[in-house]
Structure formats: structure tokens, C-alpha cells
Amino acid sequence: ACALPISGIMKAGNGNFWLMTNGYGVLIWNFPLDSVMQRITTQNGLNSDFIYNLKRDKDNNYWIGTGAGINKITFEHGTNNFKISRYGKAEGMFGMESNKTAVMQNDDGKIWFGTTKGLYIYNAADEQSIKYPSKIILQSVKLFSQAINSKIYNDSLSEWYNIPINLKLPYT
């Protein structure tokens, strides 16, 4: 048996289970042999060893959501050799940290990830990512910890939250 902190389990076939850990990467554990067959960590190319979600897609690639981005693991057919692709800030992700269990693949093959900054959709068909950032609602603007109510620095205030419209602040 495995004595590491396991945060999730996915059955992979042939008696193998993928074990998500908090700080030890992914373990491929074989139940009949009661043995860890392979360990995949940052030393192999993962963005982080803290694993928050795991998904096998229709093409048998493994998608791993971590605390520092997303990884795709592709195995060479019939071997234990694999390639790790990295998806993070450099690849256009705006939310680096995946949320626990927030991953799915829909019928057209797109893989959806919930991140701490919004929704990230990977389209495997054309290697494109679609990003939906979280919406920001500005509810107040203060100048020196005071609400801006006069028209000295702005034209007017918005109706709903009294946010200054056309705010222009002097600077030196």
C-alpha cells in the first residue's frame, strides 16, 4: 500500500491506478502487484507536484491540473515512455492554479479546466485554447481612503455603484 498523502484516484486499466498527491506528483500504482510502477513529478516536467485534478481524454492523453498550471502527458504507444506538455502563463493561461476536481471533456473533445482565475478550455482538435477570464465588478473607488463624490476629478458618477466616470487624477 502507499503511505503518501493521496488527494485523488483515477482507474487507468490493466490494474493501474493514477494517484494524485499533495507534494509528490502523480504515482502510477498497480493494484495486483501492490507496487508503484512509475512516479511523475516536476523532475520529469510537471508544473508542480501538488495535483488538483486528473483526466484521461478520448485519445488516452492524461491531463493534470496542478498548483502551477496544466500538464498533458502523452505516452508512446505500447511503452512507458512519455512526453509532458506544459500549459501555464507562457501559453496564455491567466489562472495558473487548477481547482480541485474542476476538469471535464465534452463530446466535441474540448477539455475544460476551472482555475482560480476563471475557465480555461483546451481544444485538442486544433491546438487552441479559449480563455474566459473572471468578470470584475468595481463597486467603489477611493482617493486617500475617501469616496470620490465631487466633480473635481470626474465628470459624473455611475448610477448603480457611484463609480467616477472619466476619472482624471493629477500627479507630480
Side-chain angles (χ1 to χ4, degrees):
C2 181
L4 295 174
I6 305 299
S7 59
I9 301 171
M10 185 189 74
K11 188 174 183 179
N14 296 330
N16 289 333
F17 292 82
W18 283 50
L19 308 178
M20 297 182 287
T21 71
N22 291 323
Y24 298 93
V26 175
L27 305 175
I28 301 174
W29 180 64
N30 185 275
F31 179 71
L33 299 176
D34 191 19
S35 175
V36 173
M37 305 303 289
Q38 199 161 13
R39 182 172 171 212
I40 303 171
T41 67
T42 53
Q43 291 180 346
N44 303 106
L46 288 183
N47 290 345
S48 171
D49 288 329
F50 289 85
I51 311 302
Y52 297 139
N53 57 56
L54 179 59
K55 175 73 179 163
R56 182 172 56 193
D57 68 17
K58 295 174 182 177
D59 297 321
N60 288 319
N61 298 306
Y62 291 84
W63 292 85
I64 298 173
T66 75
I70 295 168
N71 293 109
K72 178 173 86 170
I73 298 178
T74 306
F75 281 90
E76 289 180 21
H77 184 69
T79 73
N80 287 332
N81 299 328
F82 59 88
K83 174 186 159 203
I84 297 180
S85 301
R86 300 169 62 101
Y87 301 89
K89 198 173 216 175
E91 291 74 32
M93 280 191 65
F94 46 80
M96 295 293 293
E97 187 172 342
S98 290
N99 284 323
K100 187 87 173 150
T101 69
V103 60
M104 59 137 322
Q105 184 174 30
N106 62 5
D107 292 338
D108 67 1
K110 291 184 181 87
I111 301 173
W112 300 47
F113 293 92
T115 74
T116 56
K117 301 285 185 185
L119 183 64
Y120 181 80
I121 301 173
Y122 177 82
N123 187 353
D126 59 6
E127 289 288 319
Q128 284 186 349
S129 300
I130 305 165
K131 301 160 214 68
Y132 295 102
S134 300
K135 292 184 180 182
I136 297 175
I137 298 174
L138 192 61
Q139 295 181 334
S140 71
V141 175
K142 293 184 178 184
L143 181 61
F144 302 112
S145 300
Q146 301 293 319
I148 301 174
N149 293 322
S150 69
K151 292 185 180 180
I152 296 172
Y153 301 113
N154 56 293
D155 295 339
S156 60
L157 298 174
S158 68
E159 288 183 35
W160 192 258
Y161 289 113
N162 291 324
I163 302 296
I165 296 174
N166 295 324
L167 180 64
K168 293 180 182 139
L169 299 174
Y171 62 92
T172 56

